[in-house]
């Protein structure tokens, strides 16, 4: 794999793919899950929205549309000079395909969060604002070999979440998530809490203040791991993710929609910790 060069200059450049074609202010809200100090020096993280996508990841059909958008946005990351790719959804949409296609590390926050929870405790519960996201998490727990450590999934409702405004100005939702997490600990035996979505990061400070167990926020952990993989010169195994014998991205690139451009992205530049 190539070590740092591209958009980060002499540092590390990470591309985070936002799975919806959101306006610039909404992309910045998603980028707020990172603080420059957590990145370290000489790290640049750019959140880039897809050109087109599904609506809210509520079904296999919609998940496929989201995957298509994520994959299309990630195909060119290596050529653009990025050192790693992160996917800004804990569904890890497009993860396996992009690992097959790219040589640079590709990191999914859902996978990372479950394994981090396994390091911090013995049983974790996943809390969600949307029941259908919890379904995706249960499916991925099996895929990642973490079903044995999953104590439970708990969700607030079947109401569609706001993937654009996230939990901004929604203290009642954050409070309800705290109650949900407390029940997972008291009733389900969880010793660690995992958030089901990177869109839930606004709840993290309150959850950590109220709970007596660790809370794993998928987005920042995935970016931090991507930085460490680049720093250590490690990428995914080609035995696990074989490269295609022939490349033909034409069909994938038929995705409709306008390229987001610089105005649609948001960048976080690391500072000394």
């Amino acid at each position: 794999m190539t070590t740092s060069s591209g958009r980060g200059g002499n540092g590390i450049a990470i591309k985070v793919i936002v799975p919806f074609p959101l306006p610039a202010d909404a992309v910045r809200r998603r980028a707020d899950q990172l603080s420059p100090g957590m990145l370290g020096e000489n790290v640049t993280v750019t959140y880039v929205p897809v050109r087109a996508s599904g609506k809210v990841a509520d079904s296999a059909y919609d998940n496929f549309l989201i995957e298509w958008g994520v994959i299309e946005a990630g195909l060119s990351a290596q050529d653009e000079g990025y050192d790693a790719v992160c996917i800004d959804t804990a569904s890890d949409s497009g993860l396996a395909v992009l690992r097959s296609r790219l040589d640079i590390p590709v990191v999914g926050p859902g996978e990372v969060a479950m394994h981090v929870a396994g390091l911090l405790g013995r049983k974790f519960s996943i809390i969600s604002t949307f029941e259908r996201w919890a379904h995706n998490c249960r499916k991925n727990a099996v895929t990642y070999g973490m079903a044995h450590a999953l104590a439970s999934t708990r969700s607030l409702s079947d109401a569609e979440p706001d993937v654009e405004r996230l939990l901004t100005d929604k203290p009642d939702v954050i409070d309800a998530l705290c109650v949900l997490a407390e029940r997972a600990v008291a009733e389900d035996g969880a010793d660690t809490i995992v958030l089901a979505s990177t869109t839930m990061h606004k709840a993290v400070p309150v959850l950590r203040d109220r709970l007596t167990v660790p809370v794993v926020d998928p987005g920042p952990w995935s970016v931090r791991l991507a930085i460490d993989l680049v720093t250590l010169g490690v990428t995914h195994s080609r035995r696990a993710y074989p490269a295609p014998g022939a490349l033909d991205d034409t069909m994938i690139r038929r995705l409709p929609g306008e390229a987001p451009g610089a105005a649609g992205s948001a960048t976080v530049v690391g500072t000394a910790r």
Side-chain angles (χ1 to χ4, degrees), residues 11-272:
I12 294 173
I14 309 293
K15 182 175 188 177
V16 181
I17 301 172
V18 176
F20 302 103
L22 300 176
D25 60 335
V27 175
R28 281 193 293 271
R29 278 192 286 274
R30 296 180 81 106
D32 284 345
Q33 62 191 286
L34 302 183
S35 64
M38 66 151 280
L39 302 177
E41 293 185 277
N42 301 317
V43 176
T44 302
V45 180
T46 304
Y47 282 70
V48 181
V50 300
R51 292 196 292 126
S53 181
K55 185 180 180 183
V56 74
D58 63 354
S59 61
Y61 179 88
D62 206 55
N63 286 341
F64 167 74
L65 296 178
I66 292 171
E67 280 213 308
W68 188 8
V70 168
I71 292 165
E72 195 273 344
L75 291 176
S76 58
Q78 196 165 330
D79 294 336
E80 291 167 348
Y82 288 102
D83 300 298
V85 171
C86 290
I87 301 166
D88 191 33
T89 169
S91 66
D92 295 346
S93 300
L95 178 65
V97 174
L98 287 178
R99 283 179 176 170
S100 175
R101 176 64 176 80
L102 302 177
D103 297 317
I104 59 177
V106 182
V107 181
E111 181 179 30
V112 172
M114 290 186 199
H115 286 287
V116 168
L119 293 172
L120 298 177
R122 297 181 184 278
K123 287 284 186 178
F124 62 89
S125 285
I126 301 175
I127 61 169
S128 175
T129 57
F130 187 38
E131 170 56 31
R132 297 199 187 187
W133 285 351
H135 171 77
N136 289 335
C137 293
R138 290 191 292 269
K139 175 176 174 289
N140 281 345
V142 175
T143 300
Y144 301 145
M146 296 299 292
H148 68 283
L150 179 61
S152 65
T153 60
R154 286 184 176 261
S155 306
L156 292 184
S157 72
D158 285 323
E160 286 190 5
D162 187 340
V163 297
E164 186 168 325
R165 288 199 56 78
L166 311 182
L167 297 181
T168 304
D169 303 323
K170 295 181 180 178
D172 55 326
V173 176
I174 293 175
D175 185 66
L177 285 171
C178 288
V179 173
L180 210 63
E182 288 167 343
R183 290 184 61 190
V185 173
E187 300 173 18
D188 305 333
D191 56 34
T192 307
I193 295 296
V194 174
L195 302 189
S197 173
T198 60
T199 63
M200 296 165 62
H201 66 269
K202 290 283 188 182
V204 171
V206 181
L207 283 164
R208 288 180 175 161
D209 183 60
R210 284 182 50 171
L211 298 179
T212 58
V213 300
V215 177
V216 180
D217 188 6
W221 271 104
S222 66
V223 172
R224 187 62 248 180
L225 178 62
I227 294 167
D228 292 340
L229 289 173
V230 174
T231 301
L232 296 171
V234 178
T235 192
H236 43 274
S237 167
R238 277 290 172 229
R239 294 200 68 176
Y241 300 95
L247 291 180
D248 183 2
D249 298 333
T250 305
M251 187 167 68
I252 298 173
R253 293 197 183 281
R254 288 176 182 166
L255 190 73
E258 297 293 329
S265 63
T267 299
V268 183
V269 180
T271 59

